[in-house]
Amino acid sequence: MNKDSFRNRKNGFETMDGDAKDSPGRKKSPGRFAVLIIAAIVLIILVSNSAYEIKEQEQAVLITLGRPQAVTEPGLHFKIPLIQQVRKVNTTIQGLTIGYNSDSNQSNEDESLMITSDFNFIDVDFYVEYRYSDPVKALYASRNPLEILKNISQSCIRTVIGSYPVDDVLTTGKNEIQAAIREMILQRLEQHDIGVQLVNITIQDSEPPTIEVMEAFKAVETAKQGKETALNNANKYRNEQLPSAQAQADGIIKDAEAQKTERINEATAQVARFNAMYAEYIKNPAITKQRMFYETMEDVLPGLKILIEGSGDVQTIYPLETFTGDTNNNSDTNAESSPVSPIDGQEP
C-alpha cells in the first residue's frame, strides 16, 4: 500500500485512503474554514447595515449615491448596504444660549453687552429654542445651521434692543421686545431657508454692566416705585373725596335753586298784590290811602289802643288807656299822646 501510494504520488495521483499526514486536502481545511468565517462576518455586517430604525422624535436622510431623500416616518426601514447611507436628525425642541454659558453659567460680554436707544449700556441674556423642520436642508443647505441661527439671532437682538430705551429693557418692555425679536428672526430664517425653525426666544436676564450703574438703576427704580405709590395714594384720596365734594356741590346748587324759586315766587306774589292794590287804588284813591295808613299803623304800633275822633278834615287820636284808668304808663302815654297828622299831612 505504501508502494502504491508512493507510485501514485510520483505519477501525480493521490490515493483515496491515504494517510492523514500525507493527504494534502486535509492540510487546506483550516484555510477554507477561515474563509467561511470571514464570509459569514461580512454577510452579518451587510445584513445589519441593510436596516435602520427611526425613532419618534427623529427624521432621517437616505443618501443614494450622493442624492439625499428625507425619511420622516418612524419605524424600521431598509437600505442597500455600501450604496445607501443614512444620517439622522433630531427633531425635538432644542436650545442655545446667547450672552452666557449654560454649563458654567458665566456671562459672555461679547454677546450680552448692548447699547439702547438712549445710549445706555446693558447686559442682556437670551435663550433661543429651535427645531429642525427640514432634515435635508438642515444637512445640506448650509455647513453649520446652528451658527447661522445664532448669528441671525444676535443681529436681530441688537437691532431691536437698540430701538428701545433702557427702562423698557429692564422693566416693562420685555414682552414687547421678545415678540419683535422673534418676528424679525422668523423673517430672516425664511429668507435663508436652512431647515431650522425658531420656536421661541426669551430674555433670561437684563441688568446694567457694572455694580455702580446697577446701584444707580436700583435707586431709579426705587424712586419710580415711590412715585407710583404716591400717585396711587393721591388717586385713592381723590376717589374718596370726589363723591363727597360732588354731593356738597349738588346740595349747594339745589339750595340755591330752591332760594331762587322762593324769591321768584315771593316777588311774583308781591307784584300780583301790588297790581291788585293799584287797581283798587285807581278806583278810589282816598279810601285806599286811608286803609293803607291804618294797616301801616297796625304794623308799626301793634299794641297801641287808640280812639279816633274826626271832625271835618281833622282827626284826633287818643289812647284808650287814659279813659280806662290804666295809670301804669300815664306819664309816658300822656307825653306821647299828641295830635296825629291827618292823612293829607296837615296839622290839626
Side-chain angles (χ1 to χ4, degrees), residues 15-61:
T15 58
M16 297 299 295
D17 55 348
D19 192 5
K21 293 181 180 180
D22 299 330
S23 176
R26 290 185 180 271
K27 292 181 179 178
K28 294 181 179 178
S29 59
R32 292 179 180 178
F33 183 73
V35 171
L36 291 176
I37 292 175
I38 294 173
I41 294 174
V42 172
L43 182 61
I44 292 172
I45 294 174
L46 293 177
V47 172
S48 62
N49 288 334
S50 64
Y52 62 95
E53 182 184 3
I54 300 179
K55 296 181 181 179
E56 188 69 27
Q57 301 297 333
E58 291 181 341
Q59 290 184 2
V61 178

Side-chain angles (χ1 to χ4, degrees), residues 86-103:
V86 176
R87 295 182 65 181
K88 297 181 181 180
V89 176
N90 187 3
T91 58
T92 58
I93 297 176
Q94 305 176 63
L96 59 89
T97 59
I98 297 177
Y100 69 101
N101 190 340
S102 59
D103 297 331

Side-chain angles (χ1 to χ4, degrees), residues 107-127:
S107 178
N108 184 359
E109 292 187 356
D110 294 337
E111 296 178 356
S112 64
L113 188 60
M114 304 177 193
I115 187 170
T116 59
S117 62
D118 50 357
F119 304 104
N120 285 300
F121 288 97
I122 187 171
D123 279 332
V124 188
D125 300 334
F126 287 86
Y127 185 76

Side-chain angles (χ1 to χ4, degrees), residues 154-188:
Q154 288 182 341
S155 175
C156 296
I157 287 171
R158 293 185 181 278
T159 301
V160 175
I161 293 294
S163 62
Y164 282 84
V166 66
D167 292 339
D168 292 345
V169 180
L170 290 174
T171 55
T172 59
K174 291 184 178 179
N175 293 331
E176 184 178 352
I177 292 173
Q178 290 174 174
I181 293 173
R182 184 176 184 274
E183 187 66 25
M184 187 176 295
I185 293 175
L186 289 175
Q187 294 178 0
R188 297 280 185 87

